[in-house]
Amino acid sequence: MIASPLSRRALVGGLISAAVLSGCSLSSPSSTVDGEAADRQRLTRARDLSQQLILDIQMTVQRHPHLAETLSRLQALHSTQIAQFIKAAKLPSPPASTMSGMLLTTRTVNAREQALIEEFRKLALQADRGDVAALLASAAAGIDQALVGPTR
């Protein structure tokens, strides 16, 4: 049996595979810091989008109190998610908003929630850390489960 010579490409590929399988990180410390900063920005965006939706829900409930029971679940869900985003990234609480909410219909709430689901999924796919990806994907799934109205 004749042994084939080991190519440089195979050797490098084998070394990288061994490093990955052994749990070694091939990333430089600066790329880890950049990844953490990017994940922090992703969680900040998720927090801010959720906070704006809470303001919109509050405005809608003020104008249409009969929707309070239906929309209160979504408001509570987003409040919980904001707390999780803050904890995961050690973010400050959302700033006291100077913005007011928009008046929404139930159909518009559903559309906004669907857009938020898609944004959270996109952010989860872009996340550098697995725990951040899991948190954002879980937030998207939670919203999907909580959606209300005739379009579901």
Side-chain angles (χ1 to χ4, degrees):
M1 181 180 222
I2 300 174
S4 64
L6 185 61
S7 72
R8 204 178 306 179
R9 186 179 300 176
L11 179 62
V12 170
L15 290 173
I16 289 173
S17 296
V20 169
L21 290 174
S22 69
C24 294
S25 173
L26 298 177
S27 62
S28 66
S30 65
S31 68
T32 302
V33 171
D34 292 344
E36 288 177 13
D39 280 348
R40 185 178 170 91
Q41 289 175 340
R42 289 179 186 97
L43 290 169
T44 299
R45 176 159 172 71
R47 178 201 66 190
D48 293 347
L49 290 171
S50 295
Q51 182 62 35
Q52 183 57 54
L53 199 47
I54 286 175
L55 291 173
D56 295 345
I57 289 170
Q58 288 172 341
M59 172 66 80
T60 302
V61 168
Q62 285 176 1
R63 182 69 185 257
H64 301 287
H66 65 281
L67 295 176
E69 183 178 335
T70 302
L71 296 178
S72 65
R73 290 182 300 132
L74 289 171
Q75 185 174 343
L77 173 66
H78 290 303
S79 295
T80 300
Q81 290 173 340
I82 288 171
Q84 291 171 340
F85 300 148
I86 289 170
K87 182 179 178 185
K90 298 177 179 74
L91 299 173
S93 294
S97 181
T98 57
M99 300 184 308
S100 61
M102 291 177 23
L103 187 60
L104 306 175
T105 64
T106 304
R107 183 165 292 184
T108 307
V109 169
N110 282 329
R112 294 273 304 278
E113 296 286 354
Q114 286 292 339
L116 194 59
I117 289 168
E118 292 307 313
E119 182 66 16
F120 283 3
R121 287 178 179 160
K122 182 179 90 174
L123 292 171
L125 289 172
Q126 295 170 347
D128 289 310
R129 291 184 7 222
D131 61 330
V132 172
L135 176 58
L136 290 164
S138 176
I143 296 167
D144 196 33
Q145 289 296 312
L147 279 181
V148 296
T151 60
R152 287 296 285 166

